[in-house]
Amino acid sequence: QLQLQESGPGLVKPSETLSLTCTVSGGSVTSSSYYWGWIRQPPGKGLEWIGSVYDSGSAYYNPSLKSRVTISVDTSKDQFSLKLSSVTAADTAVYYCARLELHYSDYRYYYYGLDVWGQGATVTVSS
Amino acid sequence: DIQMTQSPSSVSASVGDRVTITCRASQGISNWLAWYQQKPGKAPKFLIYTASSLQSGVPSRFSGSGSGTDFTLTISSLQPEDFATYYCQQTYSFPLTFGGGTKVEIK
């Protein structure tokens, strides 16, 4: 059974870079059928998609965060990572990693949804 | 970006009630819509994909419908474990976007 687990510092100082890693177990990141991505949820608020990466390293990002975000994949370790630079208090959130299933049709990709999630990592931005 | 608007933002209901949540996309997304359930302190759970297909293991009291811009999630007979927040998400194109959520509360 596929499982995802987030890891990384729970406290980050303002202006620094937030770094999280998601480890995939019970499966592999090297699959042509999936993207691997990050979603966050500020306290008491809704869900925000941050971005997703393919096993080739090709990534898509939320335009609202694109200038600060890098998502990468390490196929040798079955891990993918999130880096968010120049953080502020507004980046305080629970960060989830999740798997996104692809569907190819009519010469383009569509997506079924985020079917497997990690348990979430709470990250607080504070000095 | 495609904007997703959910309504209502909250609903109070009793066990056994039928509950309907609506989701509207700012442009046509065919049937590329997913629904999630989230309980406090937990990760979201994937319920429905392509607007009406139930994910494996999801009870049949959950159903989804719609196409184009207007979608609904229906819980036919609310059970105690269904009290949670529900989110829609368009899966038509990047950036993936979520609705604001609907909290289903105990009446």
Side-chain angles (χ1 to χ4, degrees):
Chain A
Q1 180 182 351
L2 187 80
Q3 293 186 316
L4 306 181
Q5 178 67 57
E6 305 90 349
S7 59
L11 180 64
V12 181
K13 289 183 168 54
S15 80
E16 295 190 343
T17 296
L18 179 160
S19 296
L20 293 172
T21 296
C22 184
T23 300
V24 178
S25 59
S28 173
V29 296
T30 53
S31 168
S32 61
S33 300
Y34 301 102
Y35 269 91
W36 304 89
W38 294 91
I39 301 93
R40 71 179 182 178
Q41 185 171 38
K45 296 188 177 181
L47 300 166
E48 179 181 34
W49 176 77
I50 299 171
S52 295
V53 65
Y54 199 53
D55 63 358
S56 64
S58 173
Y60 289 88
Y61 303 122
N62 190 322
S64 68
L65 299 169
K66 188 174 182 178
S67 63
R68 300 194 290 132
V69 172
T70 302
I71 298 175
S72 58
V73 62
D74 186 337
T75 56
S76 67
K77 297 181 179 178
D78 281 322
Q79 293 178 333
F80 57 103
S81 299
L82 168 70
K83 291 189 185 300
L84 181 65
S85 64
S86 306
V87 298
T88 70
D91 296 310
T92 293
V94 177
Y95 285 77
Y96 296 101
C97 59
R99 185 179 78 171
L100 176 68
E101 186 173 358
L102 311 181
H103 173 79
Y104 186 76
S105 176
D106 299 330
Y107 306 104
R108 58 155 288 180
Y109 284 103
Y110 302 90
Y111 316 97
Y112 287 115
L114 299 157
D115 64 340
V116 180
W117 294 65
Q119 65 184 26
T122 299
V123 179
T124 301
V125 178
S126 175
S127 56
Chain B
D1 300 2
I2 300 172
Q3 308 303 316
M4 305 301 294
T5 304
Q6 268 183 256
S7 61
S9 57
S10 66
V11 57
S12 294
S14 301
V15 172
D17 284 354
R18 181 183 183 90
V19 173
T20 298
I21 299 168
T22 64
C23 180
R24 175 165 288 176
S26 60
Q27 65 186 72
I29 57 171
S30 185
N31 65 339
W32 294 101
L33 185 97
W35 289 97
Y36 302 85
Q37 175 195 67
Q38 187 179 33
K39 296 181 179 179
K42 300 294 187 182
K45 175 185 176 182
F46 188 39
L47 294 180
I48 287 173
Y49 59 96
T50 55
S52 61
S53 299
L54 249 59
Q55 177 71 343
S56 175
V58 174
S60 58
R61 62 181 180 273
F62 289 90
S63 64
S65 65
S67 183
T69 60
D70 294 313
F71 303 88
T72 60
L73 172 70
T74 299
I75 309 171
S76 60
S77 177
L78 200 63
Q79 297 302 300
E81 60 269 29
D82 301 336
F83 291 96
T85 300
Y86 294 83
Y87 293 92
C88 64
Q89 179 199 36
Q90 65 82 15
T91 58
Y92 180 80
S93 64
F94 288 140
L96 305 179
T97 45
F98 291 92
T102 296
K103 187 173 184 179
V104 178
E105 300 175 299
I106 301 173
K107 195 172 193 178

